[in-house]
Amino acid sequence: QVQLVESGGGLVQPGGSLRLSCAAHGLTLDSYAIGWFRQAPGKEREGVSCISSSNGSIYYADSVKGRFTITRDNAKDTVYLQMTSLKPEDTAVYYCAAALDLMTFLDHIVYSWGQGTQVTVSS
C-alpha cells in the first residue's frame, strides 16, 4: 500500500520558517517526481514545487521562488520543502504528491497523494 505521510506544518509568524517533510511508504521515491501542492480556503489547488526523479529538475511556482527550497533524500525516501520568509498568503493545506514525471505533476496528474498538513502564517 502506497502512502505519502506529511509532517512539519504548524503556525508561524510572518517572516518565519517551516520545513515540511514527505515520507514515502510502499513506493520507491526515486522512481517518481515528488512535489507539493497547496490549497487555501476558497482557492484552487496550486502546484508549489516539484523535483523530478531523473535529472533533478526542479519547479517552483513564481509565488515561492527564492523563498522555498525542495530537496530529496532517496536513502530515506523523504522529500523536504524548506519554507522561509513566510507570508500570510502562504497559509494553506499543503499536500505531498507523487507523479510519473514533472510534466504530469504540472498537469495535476498525480499517482498518490498525502493526507495534507496545515500551514498557517499569522501574527
Side-chain angles (χ1 to χ4, degrees), residues 74-122:
N74 290 335
K76 295 183 178 180
D77 279 334
T78 301
V79 171
Y80 304 96
L81 186 68
Q82 180 68 49
M83 306 186 295
T84 63
S85 302
L86 283 162
K87 305 175 181 180
E89 50 264 43
D90 294 317
T91 296
V93 178
Y94 284 70
Y95 297 92
C96 180
L100 290 180
D101 52 42
L102 190 55
M103 292 308 298
T104 54
F105 175 91
L106 293 175
D107 286 337
H108 293 211
I109 301 171
V110 170
Y111 172 73
S112 182
W113 291 96
Q115 82 284 359
T117 186
Q118 177 71 46
V119 172
T120 303
V121 184
S122 174

Side-chain angles (χ1 to χ4, degrees), residues 8-115:
L11 172 65
V12 65
Q13 292 187 343
S17 299
L18 282 175
R19 189 178 78 157
L20 305 183
S21 298
C22 173
H25 303 278
L27 175 149
T28 304
L29 210 63
D30 61 2
S31 298
Y32 295 88
I34 304 294
W36 297 86
F37 290 87
R38 67 185 181 187
Q39 188 163 22
K43 293 189 176 181
E44 292 188 356
R45 182 179 59 201
E46 67 167 330
V48 175
S49 181
C50 184
I51 183 167
S52 73
S53 62
S54 54
N55 60 5
S57 296
I58 291 176
Y59 163 82
Y60 293 108
D62 287 343
S63 56
V64 306
K65 279 181 183 176
R67 300 188 299 121
F68 289 13
T69 303
I70 189 169
T71 56
R72 66 192 301 160
D73 185 338
N74 290 335
K76 295 183 178 180
D77 279 334
T78 301
V79 171
Y80 304 96
L81 186 68
Q82 180 68 49
M83 306 186 295
T84 63
S85 302
L86 283 162
K87 305 175 181 180
E89 50 264 43
D90 294 317
T91 296
V93 178
Y94 284 70
Y95 297 92
C96 180
L100 290 180
D101 52 42
L102 190 55
M103 292 308 298
T104 54
F105 175 91
L106 293 175
D107 286 337
H108 293 211
I109 301 171
V110 170
Y111 172 73
S112 182
W113 291 96
Q115 82 284 359

